[in-house]
Amino acid sequence: MNAHESALLEDLNPPQREAVLHIGGPLLVLSGAGSGKTRVITRRVAYLVKVHEVFPWRILAVTFTNKAAREMRERLVQLLGRQANDLVVSTFHSAAAMILRREAEHVGLTRSFVIYDDGDQLNVVKRAMREAGLEQSMQPRDILSRIDQEKNAARLPEDMEVEPGDERGMLVRKVYHAYQERLRAANAVDFGDLLLLLVSLFRKRPEVLENYRRRFHHVLVDEFQDTNPVQYALLKQLAPPPSANLVVVGDDDQSIYRWRGADVDNILNFPRQYPGAKVVKLEQNYRSDRNILDAAYEVIRKNTRRMDKKLWSDRPAGQTLQLMLNRDERMEAQEVARQILALQREGFIKFSSMAVFYRVNAQSRVLEEGLRLARVPYTLVSGRSFYDRAEVRDASAYLRLMVNPRSDADLLRIINTPARGIGDTTVERVTDYANTQAKSLYEVLSEPERVPALNSTAVKRLRTFHGLLKSLHDFAQGTTDAASAVDEMLRETKLVETLVAEGSDESNTRAENLREFLGAAQEFDLNRAAAAVAAASQPREEVPPEVDAAPLSADTPPLQAFLEQISLVGDADAEVGEGRVALMTLHAAKGLEFDAVFLTGLEDGVFPHSRALKGEDPDNGEEMAEERRLCYVGFTRARKRLFVSLAQCRSLFGELRYNPPSRFLRDVPPALFGISEQDVPEPPRAVATPPRKRTWDDDDGPRIDRSYSQASDMESVSGDVRGMRVRHEQFGVGRIVATDGTGPNAKVTVEFGGAVGLKRVIARFLMPG
DNA sequence: TTATAGAATTTTTTT
DNA sequence: AATTCTATAA
């Protein structure tokens, strides 16, 4: 055993060692929460490089989130120094984007393709539907989510299976088809395409796949329980069964992305897919005190269909969990802030090792306010808020057009931003003409006089606009860094200028955001320059002639690389925040750990989310199982202190709701909270007049679940109401034709007759008539 | 064409 | 509650 080897195996337990040392063939590491899996992955990579002398560029390590990828990279830099530069460590999506860019020509794209986000996607769907005259048929959003599902399942439009009588399915397929055509015409892809197009390219052109197989001899996947079928298909292509060196690490109890197509069966069936795979279980938890671990176990054990395992720990029992009962969400925020300050003062826990979790983003606002009032420093860890601001998205749209003028979605976004007198009618005429000619909008704009029915002012304005885009495009061709492109774009488009001229507080903040955007580009350029220097100064190993060992993103032009970072990475890593409490959703919390964790909104309807609550057997459904796993993830983030908080009433989405305590709380034995049975909070009783103050054990008669009710004449749709006569404030009297959904937002389609015709309205707004 | 007001609609979680 | 859509006036 040489020095490297012993250093790398230092303080690993026997199964961890086994996982690091395994060589030759597939390996499944089942790693419970806090069992040191990141350590295992990084040590293993280092071991391959240092002891087995595997070239770093032969190793591909993928994760799901940017945060995880970055963290893994950092640790590998610590272990391997500059050798770590040649490793490919990234998320599925950015690895796929890099490969797809190199192979773009094979799939009908050019290297400068742009990546559409869900807003762009929705616009494309809407336009495709309008073009095909299918507007009334289905909600664009529903169609889009069906399309995404298909993509997650690795199915192109032609692979979609539709039952003969399934009209909606046929419709989805039709729109999916048109949607794909539009994306290709715009030289654009969506998130799903990044993976799907690559998988189908590899299917069609084995020789292209072969290049990557020859290169990547070692593939590692973190959070494998969250892979969806496309991702798994890609893995199987790159590291084919039965004998490839594929290492997958995951925990079926932490699978929380089913809604994105993730399939827990991928991990459960891995040994069948890769017969002979070695299986290692990591069951010792090093993170949480035992009270926390026990509570987490009591929650997760309610799930059937899980690999049987129980984490153990030789850590002390530690403090009990703490239950926080609050009157409403404001008090919850205030109490959280108070406890945080107390912990910092008396518990000697740093702000930076505390976190507040919530189920839905909408909860963050009040929590922020509470922390701000109490002067608790915090950072909101929200995926990509900065790049989601309207003005920043406008700026990105211009940048994308600079790189890829064919991108119709981007062009439509900014054609009249800032206002340049090109209105809806003109735009409609231009798009109609573009559709009939099968040309991109940019192309049509180069000869606007050909568009029928345009007046001369419109033609002139379009020509000016085209001139602007053209000169920006030309500028981008010659530029060598992102910042100068952004700078040029901001100047030429007068985006900042117009905002400043407006003079309102709001427009000033927006202008400020655009300056910050320029700052982000400058920072990007600096990082890139530094990386280039590091790569150049590095001695290159012998590379066999038939293998392409270049970094995957080797010759992506800077502006394009910057745009890719915006699309795929967001600004999550902007400020991790030294000395600040972290605020995030439970999903964002996966993979992290903190000394003290506050889990808020433990109420049925909030967490578990109301959508998991409905259905036949809400306690057994897959959705509820996923909520439960989410709860498990939340609990197991905590090292020493876990605070669980709920509010008796909370206004969420504009309505006041009285939610019963979360069912997950009932699963935790009261002793773990340091309380006895009789102090367990009861579900609150119904309240007729909301603002009245009351305590938890007030009792006033029969329990009515008011959580969903709203004052109205038809507050819910129940039974068959078709044919019923109804009156609408605006549309008058009509008859119900069809219903959609139940509860407060149930919709019905009503035939109003006369000029009004069919309308879909919320049942709440109708009166029997 | 633009600005504005009022109405409708929306909301889980993220790459 | 906040955002997005639609109708109407300017």
Side-chain angles (χ1 to χ4, degrees):
Chain A
M1 197 187 267
N2 65 34
H4 282 326
E5 199 167 344
S6 46
L8 288 170
L9 296 178
E10 204 184 355
D11 53 65
L12 294 181
N13 66 30
Q16 287 176 331
R17 266 173 203 228
E18 234 182 306
V20 170
L21 291 171
H22 169 79
I23 200 77
L27 166 69
L28 167 62
V29 181
L30 293 168
S31 63
S35 63
K37 72 176 175 156
T38 315
R39 174 182 275 203
V40 166
I41 296 177
T42 50
R43 297 280 184 103
R44 182 179 163 81
V45 169
Y47 193 83
L48 287 173
V49 173
K50 292 213 157 167
V51 178
H52 289 285
E53 300 186 319
V54 172
F55 297 140
W57 46 263
R58 285 206 176 280
I59 300 176
L60 170 65
V62 282
T63 63
F64 279 81
T65 63
N66 298 297
K67 225 179 302 164
R70 201 191 50 216
E71 196 178 304
M72 193 181 291
R73 174 165 285 284
E74 277 165 11
R75 291 224 213 162
L76 283 164
V77 169
Q78 285 167 17
L79 291 171
L80 289 172
R82 55 169 55 167
Q83 276 189 297
N85 285 325
D86 279 352
L87 298 165
V88 180
V89 181
S90 75
T91 63
F92 268 103
H93 286 85
S94 56
M98 291 189 288
I99 297 179
L100 204 59
R101 222 174 264 293
R102 310 166 111 218
E103 312 294 344
E105 284 78 11
H106 296 300
V107 291
L109 295 165
T110 78
R111 258 164 225 277
S112 39
F113 69 78
V114 295
I115 301 169
Y116 280 1
D117 64 21
D118 35 337
D120 302 320
Q121 284 182 283
L122 195 62
N123 287 329
V124 177
V125 168
K126 282 181 186 162
R127 277 189 296 130
M129 288 175 73
R130 201 170 316 149
E131 167 75 355
L134 300 167
E135 277 170 288
Q136 289 294 324
S137 44
M138 248 178 103
Q139 290 287 302
R141 209 166 267 288
D142 293 341
I143 299 214
L144 179 57
S145 80
R146 291 280 301 267
I147 291 176
D148 276 334
Q149 274 175 38
E150 293 301 317
K151 292 192 172 190
N152 287 334
R155 282 192 294 264
L156 287 163
E158 54 268 31
D159 306 325
M160 236 184 111
E161 289 162 24
V162 180
E163 302 285 314
D166 182 3
E167 299 230 355
R168 287 165 75 88
M170 307 268 276
L171 182 69
V172 171
R173 184 163 61 189
K174 207 161 154 188
V175 178
Y176 183 10
H177 211 98
Y179 171 85
Q180 287 303 89
E181 278 176 359
R182 276 178 184 262
L183 286 185
R184 282 315 78 79
N187 197 24
V189 300
D190 61 19
F191 283 110
D193 279 344
L194 290 172
L195 304 161
L196 177 55
L197 293 185
L198 194 56
V199 166
S200 66
L201 166 65
F202 284 164
R203 273 181 196 153
K204 276 194 293 246
R205 305 284 299 271
E207 75 279 8
V208 179
L209 170 59
E210 195 48 41
N211 290 333
Y212 294 94
R213 280 194 187 164
R214 260 204 303 272
R215 169 174 180 163
F216 293 116
H217 286 178
H218 295 272
V219 179
L220 296 94
V221 188
D222 194 9
E223 310 281 9
F224 183 68
Q225 74 280 359
D226 285 326
T227 43
N228 62 31
V230 219
Q231 290 162 332
Y232 199 12
L234 187 60
L235 289 176
K236 281 189 278 199
Q237 289 175 325
L238 288 170
S243 58
N245 297 315
L246 173 63
V247 179
V248 301
V249 184
D251 177 3
D252 54 311
D253 285 335
Q254 293 185 65
S255 169
I256 55 175
Y257 284 104
R258 200 182 78 97
W259 52 275
R260 221 170 63 188
D263 188 352
V264 205
D265 286 340
N266 289 348
I267 195 167
L268 300 175
N269 294 332
F270 185 81
R272 264 194 286 282
Q273 290 279 330
Y274 286 81
K278 185 176 179 68
V279 179
V280 173
K281 286 189 184 183
L282 306 181
E283 293 179 297
Q284 182 175 1
N285 174 296
Y286 294 96
R287 180 187 296 154
S288 310
D289 285 349
R290 265 193 358 258
N291 280 338
I292 295 170
L293 208 55
D294 289 347
Y297 179 71
E298 293 302 325
V299 172
I300 197 66
R301 60 180 272 190
K302 287 281 183 74
N303 274 354
T304 52
R305 246 173 76 76
R306 50 185 290 272
M307 289 185 171
D308 187 49
K309 56 185 168 311
K310 186 172 179 184
L311 286 177
W312 62 276
S313 163
D314 53 19
R315 294 179 57 89
Q319 309 236 33
T320 58
L321 280 63
Q322 204 160 324
L323 189 61
M324 299 164 65
L325 304 177
N326 304 289
R327 190 177 58 250
D328 56 28
E329 76 278 8
R330 284 155 173 268
M331 176 170 157
E332 176 178 61
Q334 193 184 321
E335 283 300 301
V336 166
R338 202 174 60 80
Q339 293 283 8
I340 287 175
L341 289 172
L343 279 182
Q344 194 235 5
R345 255 197 330 270
E346 297 142 29
F348 304 102
I349 298 180
K350 290 184 294 184
F351 285 137
S352 59
S353 36
M354 298 191 235
V356 184
F357 300 155
Y358 39 84
R359 176 64 179 84
V360 297
N361 282 307
Q363 288 170 258
S364 72
R365 191 174 274 276
V366 184
L367 289 167
E368 274 186 88
E369 203 170 289
L371 295 187
R372 211 173 36 239
L373 285 174
R375 302 188 190 287
V376 174
Y378 68 88
T379 348
L380 195 66
V381 184
S382 71
R384 38 173 310 117
S385 53
F386 178 71
Y387 292 105
D388 277 340
R389 314 228 170 115
E391 63 279 11
V392 180
R393 294 187 55 152
D394 293 338
S396 326
Y398 274 110
L399 289 182
R400 301 206 295 200
L401 285 163
M402 287 170 84
V403 167
N404 171 27
R406 275 198 286 158
S407 179
D408 286 357
D410 288 309
L411 194 147
L412 286 173
R413 182 180 178 93
I414 48 79
I415 190 164
N416 205 27
T417 316
R420 51 171 70 88
I422 302 176
D424 293 346
T425 21
T426 307
V427 171
E428 200 177 317
R429 283 172 187 157
V430 173
T431 46
D432 282 352
Y433 180 72
N435 282 334
T436 60
Q437 302 292 302
K439 283 182 174 172
S440 72
L441 295 172
Y442 181 77
E443 263 179 291
V444 171
L445 290 189
S446 68
E447 315 173 288
E449 64 281 349
R450 300 178 85 117
V451 180
L454 283 187
N455 59 36
S456 62
T457 34
V459 171
K460 206 168 75 197
R461 285 166 176 167
L462 291 175
R463 200 172 278 135
T464 315
F465 175 59
H466 180 263
L468 169 69
L469 291 186
K470 180 149 193 333
S471 80
L472 286 176
H473 178 53
D474 292 344
F475 184 91
Q477 303 292 298
T479 185
T480 49
D481 64 300
S484 66
V486 175
D487 192 47
E488 173 76 5
M489 181 273 296
L490 289 178
R491 236 200 324 267
E492 288 292 311
T493 59
K494 303 192 167 63
L495 276 176
V496 180
E497 214 173 295
T498 358
L499 285 171
V500 172
E502 206 178 301
S504 68
D505 280 358
E506 196 194 319
S507 66
N508 282 329
T509 2
R510 286 161 163 245
E512 204 38 61
N513 286 335
L514 288 179
R515 294 193 193 103
E516 196 180 325
F517 186 61
L518 177 61
Q522 285 162 342
E523 198 181 316
F524 176 83
D525 287 331
L526 286 177
N527 288 335
R528 206 175 145 92
V533 170
S537 70
Q538 190 174 337
R540 274 296 171 147
E541 305 95 341
E542 288 286 310
V543 177
E546 75 281 7
V547 179
D548 176 5
L552 288 184
S553 60
D555 38 38
T556 310
L559 179 54
Q560 233 167 72
F562 178 57
L563 285 172
E564 189 150 309
Q565 193 188 73
I566 292 174
S567 307
L568 298 177
V569 182
D571 64 345
D573 7 19
E575 308 281 332
V576 183
E578 270 311 298
R580 292 162 174 280
V581 176
L583 254 68
M584 66 188 90
T585 64
L586 281 158
H587 283 84
K590 194 172 65 157
L592 306 177
E593 57 179 60
F594 300 89
D595 283 333
V597 163
F598 294 82
L599 194 44
T600 64
L602 264 271
E603 300 138 43
D604 272 7
V606 177
F607 188 33
H609 192 271
S610 53
R611 286 180 71 131
L613 236 36
K614 58 185 188 188
E616 300 303 306
D617 52 345
D619 258 326
N620 297 312
E622 266 306 306
E623 294 211 54
M624 185 55 74
E626 180 138 320
E627 297 287 317
R628 205 170 269 288
R629 293 191 289 265
L630 202 50
C631 185
Y632 178 74
V633 168
F635 277 21
T636 53
R637 300 306 95 193
R639 282 191 283 252
K640 297 181 169 310
R641 304 299 303 273
L642 178 57
F643 295 79
V644 172
S645 145
L646 63 157
Q648 190 182 21
C649 73
R650 131 175 359 247
S651 68
L652 202 58
F653 307 136
E655 62 176 331
L656 190 64
R657 298 206 296 209
Y658 290 76
N659 294 316
S662 173
R663 58 198 57 209
F664 301 150
L665 289 176
R666 284 200 295 276
D667 302 329
V668 180
L672 291 177
F673 282 113
I675 57 181
S676 58
E677 285 291 345
Q678 71 233 27
D679 296 324
V680 176
E682 283 289 303
R685 317 302 197 255
V687 188
T689 45
R692 218 183 97 201
K693 288 219 177 110
R694 54 184 51 251
T695 60
W696 282 92
D697 37 28
D698 259 3
D699 197 337
D700 54 359
R703 296 181 190 183
I704 314 146
D705 180 10
R706 283 188 57 86
S707 50
Y708 284 101
S709 69
Q710 275 195 359
S712 93
D713 291 291
M714 291 185 58
E715 61 188 26
S716 63
V717 175
S718 52
D720 195 357
V721 290
R722 277 175 294 183
M724 187 172 168
R725 269 171 65 88
V726 290
R727 185 170 44 235
H728 186 267
E729 281 271 298
Q730 195 188 336
F731 302 131
V733 179
R735 256 172 216 292
I736 295 181
V737 186
T739 63
D740 180 6
T742 52
N745 289 328
K747 287 178 196 136
V748 293
T749 308
V750 183
E751 169 64 60
F752 285 104
V756 189
L758 280 180
K759 289 274 178 195
R760 258 178 109 241
V761 291
I762 293 194
R764 205 147 36 85
F765 298 128
L766 293 172
M767 321 238 287

